[in-house]
Amino acid sequence: MRDVAVGRHGLGMALTLTAAGLLLSGGGSRLAALSERRLPSLRRYTPYATVLTALAVLTVGISLTVRSLLTL
């Protein structure tokens, strides 16, 4: 029974992190629009916003996975 709960929790966490990544990666276009109008110095970073967001979500997911595996 415990294994099923752990599996459900892991699946829920994976879905949550995936949804957060998809939502945040859409922020790149908003950041680009903002940089065009208000913050011209951010213009050079906007192409990397999606990649940086994906790396942040991936890092959190891997760290949570490693942490949960260490407690088993």
Side-chain angles (χ1 to χ4, degrees):
M1 187 68 169
R2 184 176 189 274
D3 293 335
V4 173
V6 170
R8 286 183 185 168
H9 177 74
L11 181 61
M13 184 64 71
L15 290 173
T16 300
L17 288 172
T18 300
L22 290 172
L23 288 173
L24 290 174
S25 67
S29 59
R30 282 176 270 175
L31 182 61
L34 176 66
S35 70
E36 291 290 326
R37 287 177 279 155
R38 297 184 186 163
L39 303 170
S41 62
L42 283 179
R43 187 175 300 163
R44 63 181 167 199
Y45 299 113
T46 54
Y48 306 110
T50 304
V51 174
L52 292 174
T53 302
L55 286 174
V57 170
L58 185 64
T59 302
V60 170
I62 289 172
S63 65
L64 288 173
T65 301
V66 169
R67 192 173 100 187
S68 68
L69 289 174
L70 291 175
T71 60
L72 292 178

